[in-house]
Amino acid sequence: MKKNFISNSSESIRMFKSGFLESLSKVHFYVPLIVYIPVIGYLCWFAFAEVHMNFFSFIGWVALGLFLWTIAEYILHRYIFHFYPKSSIGKRIHFIFHGVHHDYPNDSKRLVMPPSASIPMALALYYLFLYLLPEGTIYAFFAGFLIGYLVYDMAHYALHHANFKNPFWKKLKQHHMLHHYSDSTKGYGVSSALWDKVLGSDFDKKVNT
């Protein structure tokens, strides 16, 4: 495949003339934790205190939310973040949302999704699931979904900045680095390589060794 520009610098390039818009495009890795852990806590409390969901039902819906997140993560990365528009404005939007990360993968302030993007997306998905799911289940389900999102964001930051000794995390980091530095048309899973294996977008075993 054609190799695109990749900077090994940790610099954070400017994307917007507006200082306000520029500030919205950058975020420290811990900000999603500050934003979403209280939301997750509230959803869990509401499931028990207001909906009176029993414990095993709660665990089941949380687990379903976590599982569905893994699918959403894969679809989002493969079909939205890696959709390449032909128009100039489309290319600009793609660069803002994901292209900049591939050009500057070591930019620590563009490794987790900024709240300016994640909050509208989370709200849209919340109301979609609210419409689709049985009454009263959204709270446990969406808590699991958001937990999956936080695992994804924190894992993504760690894969770029941590040196792992654990075999699982070393293999997962190699998987993601191959996506960045070898072939960006494969290896879309970040927190897990499961769906790459299932859907045929994993790297060849020869590349992984």
Side-chain angles (χ1 to χ4, degrees), residues 76-128:
L76 186 69
H77 192 185
R78 180 172 185 174
Y79 296 107
I80 299 178
F81 288 173
H82 279 272
F83 172 74
Y84 298 101
K86 293 183 179 180
S87 66
S88 57
I89 189 169
K91 290 177 180 178
R92 172 65 174 161
I93 292 171
H94 170 264
F95 180 77
I96 290 170
F97 274 91
H98 197 62
V100 65
H101 173 54
H102 272 266
D103 286 359
Y104 297 87
N106 295 319
D107 181 351
S108 64
K109 292 185 179 179
R110 291 195 172 110
L111 283 175
V112 300
M113 194 177 295
S116 56
S118 68
I119 290 176
M121 189 179 299
L123 286 172
L125 289 170
Y126 175 85
Y127 285 107
L128 173 64

Side-chain angles (χ1 to χ4, degrees), residues 187-205:
Y188 298 104
V190 176
S191 59
S192 168
L194 170 65
W195 294 109
D196 285 307
K197 298 181 187 301
V198 172
L199 298 175
S201 55
D202 199 7
F203 298 98
D204 296 333
K205 290 184 179 180

Side-chain angles (χ1 to χ4, degrees), residues 1-26:
M1 65 171 289
K2 181 182 177 182
K3 300 293 183 181
N4 295 319
F5 167 80
I6 300 177
S7 171
N8 288 320
S9 171
S10 60
E11 65 180 306
S12 186
I13 66 159
R14 190 176 183 92
M15 292 199 301
F16 300 98
K17 291 181 179 179
S18 165
F20 176 69
L21 291 178
E22 182 68 13
S23 68
L24 292 179
S25 75
K26 298 178 181 180

Side-chain angles (χ1 to χ4, degrees), residues 153-182:
D153 249 358
M154 297 305 105
H156 189 217
Y157 183 87
L159 292 177
H160 279 273
H161 285 279
N163 293 315
F164 299 107
K165 294 183 180 179
N166 180 279
F168 169 83
W169 286 103
K170 286 178 70 174
K171 188 173 182 179
L172 194 61
K173 179 167 183 170
Q174 181 191 37
H175 182 80
H176 191 58
M177 292 303 105
L178 285 172
H179 173 73
H180 273 282
Y181 294 99
S182 179

